[in-house]
Amino acid sequence: NAGVTQTPKFQVLKTGQSMTLQCAQDMNHEYMSWYRQDPGMGLRLIHYSVGAGITDQGEVPNGYNVSRSTTEDFPLRLLSAAPSQTSVYFCASRYRADNEQFFGPGTRLTVL
Amino acid sequence: KNEVEQSPQNLTAQEGEFITINCSYSVGISALHWLQQHPGGGIVSLFMLSSGKKKHGRLIATINIQEKHSSLHITASHPRDSAVYICAVAYSGGGADGLTFGKGTHLIIQP
């Protein structure tokens, strides 16, 4: 199993640009989540999904969109990048609510 | 809302010392996770527990459900244990995806 994969590892954007962060898992997990990690803030939930076709907002959803057309993939879209979105982004998955959580390697995003 | 508090926020110790990191939460939970993140690195799950104690190598995690408290212990600490340790709790209604995270404990083990 590859586990949870994320691409790209690093990305630099200019303000106003859009992009998609990719996340995939091959463990047939139902739950998938996107977090951002900022110094002193801990992990904050952006969007999550409890199964294909089902997504919902987390704590900091503004400026981001998600979709879950398959069990495996959960892309995160930045609609119009802003410097406040400079962060490290982690995708994670787990089989059910009370199971171990697996994290992807992260994407370090800088918005100029 | 379940508040998750970790202590200490920062800890520097000498190689070989016994390390304890604490996690307290405010409402009943179904599970507690301990995660490890090395500098510039990804996040790895160390333990998931809902009662008692678990051990993996030099790492031991305990939880006291009645006191709403968990500890992560590292025996014979080594510089490679230097990392941020994050506590996360799972409870019904908590965090939109069911997990609430502490802010982490930054551990440095000096040789």
Side-chain angles (χ1 to χ4, degrees):
Chain A
N1 287 351
V4 182
T5 59
Q6 285 183 242
T7 55
K9 283 190 167 53
F10 302 94
Q11 183 70 49
V12 179
L13 292 177
K14 294 181 180 177
T15 296
Q17 288 185 312
S18 62
M19 79 159 295
T20 299
L21 307 185
Q22 301 292 344
C23 174
Q25 52 88 13
D26 61 357
M27 298 174 282
N28 200 33
H29 286 174
E30 293 185 359
Y31 279 62
M32 296 187 75
S33 301
W34 275 103
Y35 302 94
R36 59 179 290 173
Q37 185 180 45
D38 302 291
M41 302 289 289
L43 286 160
R44 292 186 292 169
L45 181 67
I46 304 170
H47 284 285
Y48 70 103
S49 169
V50 297
I54 306 169
T55 64
D56 209 341
Q57 297 181 350
E59 181 184 356
V60 288
N62 292 341
Y64 308 94
N65 269 357
V66 291
S67 60
R68 184 100 180 265
S69 56
T70 66
T71 300
E72 294 78 18
D73 299 298
F74 191 44
L76 178 72
R77 297 182 188 84
L78 278 70
L79 309 172
S80 177
S84 60
Q85 293 179 305
T86 293
S87 187
V88 181
Y89 292 84
F90 288 98
C91 179
S93 75
R94 62 192 195 273
Y95 184 59
R96 294 270 166 83
D98 284 349
N99 291 130
E100 181 184 3
Q101 177 110 312
F102 293 83
F103 287 82
T107 295
R108 188 172 294 273
L109 175 67
T110 301
V111 182
L112 303 176
Chain B
K1 183 180 176 184
N2 209 349
E3 301 293 336
V4 180
E5 297 290 337
Q6 287 187 237
S7 63
Q9 289 185 349
N10 298 283
L11 177 58
T12 299
Q14 295 298 121
E15 183 173 356
E17 287 189 36
F18 182 82
I19 303 298
T20 296
I21 298 170
N22 298 299
C23 176
S24 297
Y25 50 92
S26 53
V27 301
I29 65 170
S30 55
L32 183 143
H33 302 249
W34 281 104
L35 311 170
Q36 180 192 56
Q37 184 177 26
H38 281 104
I43 301 170
V44 174
S45 175
L46 296 175
F47 297 103
M48 188 184 74
L49 64 166
S50 54
S51 64
K53 175 180 174 178
K54 287 190 175 180
K55 184 175 189 290
H56 184 234
R58 294 180 295 105
L59 300 177
I60 303 166
T62 64
I63 189 168
N64 186 317
I65 297 296
Q66 287 73 32
E67 294 186 4
K68 298 184 175 60
H69 180 269
S70 175
S71 293
L72 177 68
H73 305 287
I74 305 174
T75 62
S77 59
H78 189 276
R80 65 176 174 266
D81 297 324
S82 298
V84 176
Y85 293 85
I86 302 168
C87 171
V89 298
Y91 70 105
S92 177
D97 69 343
L99 285 178
T100 302
F101 294 86
K103 292 187 177 178
T105 294
H106 188 194
L107 174 66
I108 297 173
I109 304 296
Q110 295 178 335

